[in-house]
Amino acid sequence: MRVTHIYHSGFAVELPACTLLFDWYTGELPRIRRDLPLVVLVSHGHSDHYGQCIWPLREQFPDVRYVLDKGVAADAPSGARVTAVEPHESYELRLGATGGTAPSSLFVESLESNDEGVAFLARACGTSIYFSGDLNSWQWRRPAEQNAASEKFFRTELSRIASGPVDLAFVPLDPRLADPAAGIAAFMDVVGARAIFPMHYRDDAAAARALMSDARLAPYAGITHFEDVCELL
């Protein structure tokens, strides 16, 4: 599979039978195969996770599906193939046979965000993918009890998928936070992943990379990816 970090929390995950596009709102798309289904997933409606640019994809790709937080789904144009998602639900999308591939399914579970919208656990082609959206241990510079509540909420939601590890985990590593490493540390403690893709750092890639020196994250340096394009077996 190939994972492309487009910008901020926007990623494309190219699998053998489909491509998944997460929270794309800006930046140039990679060269995605047009003979495979494209599934566009949007966790919530914040302007750094959702943009109108997702809708013209229907004119560029023959088979486009949308898996959208219900608030974003309300913005969908007529004729778009939309699955509106609410927290704590499970969904199955049957993907047609294209490009010489056999029919397959995409299974999606949704978690509730402690900011807005949902997080996704997606399974397709034998690969499990966790995408956090804005669900995180948000450790801002604020009263300690609010940060403790955020950590507790995050861990409680993750416990719903604690049968991991997952194959790919996309989790915020935001240098603006008072404790940026808390989210990935909690995720690896509760769920675990074979590959970690930090996100939500905009143009601060250098600052995000530097955070890997945190003692809680250092053990995962070998499976953490900041590359623009990552090829995985």
Side-chain angles (χ1 to χ4, degrees), residues 194-212:
R194 296 182 177 89
I196 304 168
F197 293 84
M199 64 182 197
H200 213 270
Y201 51 79
R202 295 185 184 269
D203 296 312
D204 291 335
R209 286 175 182 267
L211 294 170
M212 295 304 298

Side-chain angles (χ1 to χ4, degrees), residues 81-105:
R81 302 170 70 183
V82 172
T83 299
V85 172
E86 299 186 52
H88 306 154
E89 299 291 345
S90 299
Y91 306 86
E92 179 182 1
L93 277 71
R94 291 289 294 168
L95 305 177
T98 57
T101 65
S104 61
S105 291

Side-chain angles (χ1 to χ4, degrees), residues 30-75:
R31 285 190 169 185
I32 297 171
R33 287 180 58 176
R34 283 167 166 72
D35 61 337
L36 294 179
L38 172 63
V39 183
V40 180
L41 300 98
V42 179
S43 64
H44 63 291
H46 287 171
S47 61
D48 62 337
H49 291 261
Y50 163 60
Q52 293 290 322
C53 55
I54 66 172
W55 304 119
L57 293 173
R58 295 179 298 150
E59 303 165 8
Q60 304 168 34
F61 295 85
D63 186 358
V64 182
R65 323 287 183 90
Y66 295 91
V67 179
L68 311 174
D69 166 64
K70 64 180 181 179
V72 175
D75 198 33

